[in-house]
């Protein structure tokens, strides 16, 4: 324990979270909550991917699988919150995996999860821009606008339009990230309000419109109707519904990514994971049930021919003019969703680079005078812009790339729980969200459930499997893992300092909790001044 700061001649406390200060630290609980709530965007996620869920098992599978998903994803969130409280660092999920493995294997698993997490978050940003473009361009179908060659993924001219709009949306989402931190706080708060407003309109306005037009689905249809649109065996077709339910609840580690920018992060960031996941789970389930009652019958639903069929549902239920308003609302929500996901992802990339894991780490790991990792944001833009170019030669190629977006995250969730169960079950006692006697059961449940979800994500979705329906997610995950192993082998161990950083933080945090004393400013300066080689 260092002595009190002699220069100031007082024993004023320095929050233990300040030991890792390299970014600005001006955000609070609302921003931490919003990082999860808005990155997941429950209303946008349910609206965008409901149709995928209905193909696998139908309404009966969706609502029942959602309940199971909520229970086990909240257990997973609790596992991550426990370790986040002990290690509130921007590297978050990658640091958690490293420390969960223990000293001997920390660097190995750290490198693997670092590459997994960066791949997942960067592909999500690009995919979300394309999803947003689908909402915008589906209005052409509503207004019956003729497009040369037709509105189809087989039409190269149509793909070019999708690509151009997606690239423009990526620029907008990135540009918002260059706002000063205190101004971006307003973006967090506005995004939460916008998504709740969108939700309320769907709860109130959409049912009124449906009651006056094509009518509601019956309770029997919603709770007992099954459907097999995947061609898979009946049992596996039902299991594939977890692609939808778990997909809308993946990404709650976002709060941990901005931990170094959050005051009292050892409490606030972990709480952000739990509250953000809980709010998303509740909102997503309510919205799913609502939409199951409000969509047309399945035959009509699957005949809707538009890049984003929900735009046509708004048109059918509310009218063409109202569909424009709801589409604008959805698009704004998705743009902010993408922007906030970029905030979380860029902090992750910054931390991974700061620890010497990525090529070009020295440049990527730099921060601006006001404590922002703008170079990491630029990396996000370049990666996303290049990835979106894959739309031009083939829409199938692009979907194959973004299909891998959720796989590494789920793999990381399950791996962290497995490492906690087998390697470090009794560590991180300084956590303010310790699971106590529930720890090992939660670890085991998180391992098993995420393994189930992982199996659905690497499975073909349509059967029989053809070149067009082949799921490239496991191939992309394998390639990412190979890159991780190469970097682990090539980059000298001395260049990776996160183990020393986190060990020091744990040591000093435990001293604070044991003595109730503060950590001196000299210790903080000494710790943050430690160089990180590229």
């Amino acid at each position: 324990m260092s002595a009190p700061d002699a220069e100031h001649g007082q024993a004023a406390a320095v929050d233990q979270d300040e030991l890792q200060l390299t970014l600005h630290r001006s955000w609070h609980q609302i921003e931490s909550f919003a990082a999860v709530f808005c990155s997941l965007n429950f209303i946008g996620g349910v609206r965008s991917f409901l149709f995928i869920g209905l193909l696998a098992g139908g309404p009966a599978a969706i609502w029942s699988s959602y309940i199971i998903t909520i229970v086990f994803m909240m257990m997973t969130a609790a596992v991550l919150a426990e370790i986040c409280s002990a290690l509130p660092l921007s590297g978050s999920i990658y640091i958690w995996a490293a420390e969960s493995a223990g000293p001997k294997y920390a660097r190995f698993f750290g490198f693997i999860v670092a590459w997994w997490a960066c791949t997942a978050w960067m592909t999500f940003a690009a995919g979300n821009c394309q999803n947003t473009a689908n909402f915008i361009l589906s209005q052409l179908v509503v207004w019956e606008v003729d497009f040369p060659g037709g509105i189809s993924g087989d039409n190269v001219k149509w793909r070019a339009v999708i690509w151009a709009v997606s690239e423009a949306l990526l620029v907008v989402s990135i540009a918002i990230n260059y706002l000063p931190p205190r101004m971006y706080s307003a973006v967090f708060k506005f995004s939460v309000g916008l998504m709740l407003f969108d939700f309320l309109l769907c709860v109130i306005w959409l049912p009124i419109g449906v009651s006056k037009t094509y009518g509601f689905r019956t309770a029997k249809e919603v709770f007992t109707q099954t459907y097999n649109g995947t061609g898979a065996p009946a049992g596996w077709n039902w299991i594939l519904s977890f692609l939808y339910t778990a997909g809308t609840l993946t990404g709650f580690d976002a709060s941990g990514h901005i931990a170094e920018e959050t005051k009292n992060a050892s409490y606030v960031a972990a709480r952000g994971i739990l509250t953000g996941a809980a709010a998303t789970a509740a909102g997503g389930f309510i919205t799913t049930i609502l939409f199951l009652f409000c969509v047309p019958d399945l035959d009509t639903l699957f005949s809707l021919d538009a890049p984003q069929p929900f735009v046509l549902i708004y048109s059918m239920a509310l009218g063409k003019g109202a569909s424009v308003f709801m589409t604008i609302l959805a698009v704004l929500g998705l743009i902010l969703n993408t922007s906030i996901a970029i905030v979380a992802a860029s902090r992750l990339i910054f931390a991974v680079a700061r620890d010497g894991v990525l090529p070009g780490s020295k440049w990527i790991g730099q921060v601006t005078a006001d404590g922002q990792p703008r170079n990491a944001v630029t990396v996000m833009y370049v990666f996303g812009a290049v990835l979106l170019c894959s739309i031009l030669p083939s829409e199938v190629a692009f979907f194959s790339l973004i299909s891998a977006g959720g796989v590494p995250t789920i793999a990381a969730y399950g791996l962290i729980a497995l490492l906690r169960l087998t390697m470090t079950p009794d560590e991180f006692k300084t956590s303010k969200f310790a699971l106590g006697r529930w720890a090992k059961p939660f670890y085991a449940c998180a391992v098993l459930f995420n393994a189930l979800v992982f199996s659905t994500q690497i499975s073909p979705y349509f059967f029989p499997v053809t070149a067009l329906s082949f799921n490239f997610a496991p191939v992309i995950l394998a390639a990412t893992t190979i890159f991780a192993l190469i970097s682990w082998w090539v980059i000298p161990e001395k260049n990776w300092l996160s183990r020393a950083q986190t060990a020091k933080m744990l040591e000093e945090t435990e001293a604070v909790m044991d003595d109730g004393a503060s950590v001196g400013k000299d210790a903080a300066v000494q710790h943050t001044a430690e160089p990180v080689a590229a």
Side-chain angles (χ1 to χ4, degrees), residues 84 287 304 372 393 467 479 486 521:
C84 176
T287 304
L304 299 178
Q372 292 191 85
I486 291 173
K521 187 175 181 180

Side-chain angles (χ1 to χ4, degrees), residues 407-427:
V407 178
T409 302
I410 290 296
Y413 288 174
L415 177 60
I416 290 171
L418 179 62
L419 293 172
R420 292 289 284 126
L421 179 65
T422 59
M423 306 289 281
T424 55
D426 300 317
E427 299 297 326

